[in-house]
Amino acid sequence: MHASFSPTTWARAAAALTLAAAGATAHAADPVKVGLMLPSSGTFADLGKWTVDGFKLYVQQQGGKLGGRTVEYITLDDESDPSKANENANKLVKRDKVDVLVGTIHSGVALTMAKVARETKTILIVPNAGAGEITGAMCSPYVFRTSFSNWQPGYASGLLAAKKHKTAVTISWKYAAGDESVQGFRQGFEKGGGKVLKDLSLPFPGVEFQPLLTELATIKPDAAYAFVAGAGQVKFVKDYAAAGLKDSIPLYGAFITEGTLAAQGDAAQGLQTALHYADGLKSPRNEAFIAAHVKAYGKAPNLFAVQGYDSAQLYDVGLKAVNGDTKKKAELIKAMENARLDSPRGPLSFSKSHNPVQNFYARVARGSENVMTEVVVQNLADPALDCKP
């Protein structure tokens, strides 16, 4: 027996289906709002641009979309100023109503962004800042990092140095990033059978390295590890060579030559570092990425471009899992947690604290490149023991 429906009933049913379909696809008609809170002025402006360019390159490769939705960028110069970070992050979240925050380079600014993300339940992707707290004590379901924790490259550098040396001395700026990097180096070096004889430091961002280099020469370790950044690493490497230490006490680092080889000149040649990307890394994925970056921007990419690129790739995984519906936040986050990205750097996944699990490569400075020589450690995860999500 078949039920009969009046024309009015059919019309109502059709209307209901139309409304349901419209509701299901309404989100796809609107652009997804991406808040890019990165430096476009000051010391880290170049790093901010590399990161933004990398992010936008991935989006371009997806036809200008993420998760099937067009992208609207809302950019804000964070000025690498922690005192402005709370106001800036809240502007993007509450005034501009961004769907995702992306930032930043400076760890002090990123820590505040993580706090705002947690309080407002906004997804944050950190494309560079390495502060351990972000995916440690401050870890949150809403916060992901696509770069590194300061511990990771320090630990990999320790493993690398321990392959050839039994004793070492560390030199760093005395601040959180320096402390975390040195701690990682010590753990890696000791695991490899080495012993750190002494940790030398000077206040951030001081560049009077000579007293420390004099003490280093007196101690006479087999090797040295240094963590300073930017203009500081240029002066340090030059001072190290000028002091006659380059040939007698081999120098290791993580970022010590990253982005500064041209400025460091001959003093940097032959220095060994350990990072999660290397110039000219041989893989079809990386070679395609380099070609696309050169085509888009007229220059080869670097580590910061890779980190920006993977930030977009990670968010795309989440959005695709929910068909672009940003309101399905729990499902979106779960997809990002389970992501297995085919990154230019190699395989990339995420730990329970949302920090990258990735390979670290030994690199040697040759000419204008940090050339890969070997894989130091595969799938390295930060233990993040103080993460209580």
Side-chain angles (χ1 to χ4, degrees):
M1 184 175 182
H2 298 285
S4 61
F5 297 96
S6 69
T8 302
T9 302
W10 278 112
R12 285 174 180 168
L17 287 170
T18 301
L19 285 171
T25 59
H27 60 265
D30 298 324
V32 61
K33 290 187 175 183
V34 176
L36 296 173
M37 185 169 154
L38 287 145
S40 56
S41 63
T43 304
F44 295 142
D46 286 347
L47 306 189
K49 179 167 174 45
W50 281 107
T51 304
V52 169
D53 284 352
F55 191 100
K56 290 184 175 180
L57 177 60
Y58 179 84
V59 176
Q60 289 167 17
Q61 291 178 333
Q62 312 310 307
K65 296 182 178 182
L66 289 174
R69 294 173 63 178
T70 57
V71 177
E72 177 184 349
Y73 296 111
I74 301 170
T75 60
L76 191 156
D77 181 5
D78 69 25
E79 303 176 59
S80 300
D81 186 347
S83 71
K84 298 179 181 178
N86 186 66
E87 179 184 357
N88 285 337
N90 274 298
K91 277 182 183 176
L92 289 170
V93 172
K94 296 177 180 178
R95 181 193 68 186
D96 301 315
K97 301 189 183 306
V98 299
D99 295 302
V100 61
L101 273 173
V102 180
T104 184
I105 306 299
H106 189 293
S107 282
V109 178
L111 285 165
T112 298
M113 293 179 73
K115 181 174 181 290
V116 171
R118 186 170 55 182
E119 291 172 350
T120 61
K121 297 183 178 179
T122 302
I123 292 175
L124 166 67
I125 302 176
V126 180
N128 186 72
E133 279 185 84
I134 293 171
T135 52
M138 288 181 65
C139 71
S140 161
Y142 302 97
V143 178
F144 290 80
R145 177 156 43 200
T146 57
S147 51
F148 57 91
S149 68
N150 290 322
W151 177 90
Q152 284 179 297
Y155 181 81
S157 297
L159 292 177
L160 176 63
K163 290 185 175 186
K164 295 182 179 179
H165 311 288
K166 292 299 182 184
T167 61
V169 166
T170 69
I171 298 178
S172 69
W173 275 332
K174 186 64 181 174
Y175 70 141
D179 292 346
E180 290 169 0
S181 183
V182 164
Q183 181 185 38
F185 177 83
R186 178 184 288 273
Q187 290 179 14
F189 194 62
E190 290 177 351
K191 182 172 183 178
K195 181 180 181 181
V196 174
L197 302 178
K198 193 168 185 178
D199 296 323
L200 304 177
S201 65
L202 75 166
F204 172 81
V207 292
E208 295 303 319
F209 300 115
Q210 197 55 53
L212 302 183
L213 297 179
T214 299
E215 186 170 357
L216 174 68
T218 301
I219 298 172
K220 295 180 180 177
D222 295 338
Y225 174 77
F227 182 88
V228 291
Q233 71 193 43
V234 175
K235 187 172 187 301
F236 181 84
V237 166
K238 288 186 172 182
D239 286 356
Y240 199 88
L245 296 170
K246 183 180 174 185
D247 295 328
S248 59
I249 304 176
L251 177 63
Y252 291 78
F255 292 91
I256 198 71
T257 58
E258 189 65 25
T260 52
L261 277 175
Q264 289 164 331
D266 291 342
Q269 294 303 297
L271 295 189
Q272 296 184 74
T273 52
L275 274 179
H276 48 293
Y277 184 68
D279 294 322
L281 185 64
K282 298 298 182 185
S283 73
R285 185 70 171 101
N286 187 47
E287 288 164 3
F289 170 69
I290 292 171
H293 196 281
V294 170
K295 183 177 179 180
Y297 305 116
K299 56 187 176 182
N302 61 14
L303 174 72
F304 303 100
V306 173
Q307 293 173 168
Y309 186 88
D310 286 335
S311 296
Q313 186 176 192
L314 174 61
Y315 191 54
D316 192 34
V317 167
L319 277 181
K320 283 178 176 174
V322 295
N323 296 315
D325 188 351
T326 53
K327 292 181 180 178
K328 295 181 177 179
K329 202 164 289 186
E331 294 96 325
L332 195 158
I333 289 171
K334 184 174 180 60
M336 291 171 68
E337 287 176 336
N338 294 327
R340 299 290 186 272
L341 302 184
D342 183 15
S343 167
R345 75 185 83 179
L348 177 61
S349 59
F350 298 87
S351 67
K352 67 177 180 63
S353 67
H354 297 175
N355 199 64
V357 179
Q358 57 195 335
N359 297 341
F360 278 78
Y361 307 99
R363 301 131 31 106
V364 61
R366 292 178 184 157
S368 60
E369 293 188 333
N370 289 296
V371 180
M372 175 192 165
T373 56
E374 64 178 299
V375 179
V376 179
V377 56
Q378 292 184 318
N379 300 319
L380 179 63
D382 186 314
L385 299 177
D386 50 355
C387 172
K388 313 293 181 188

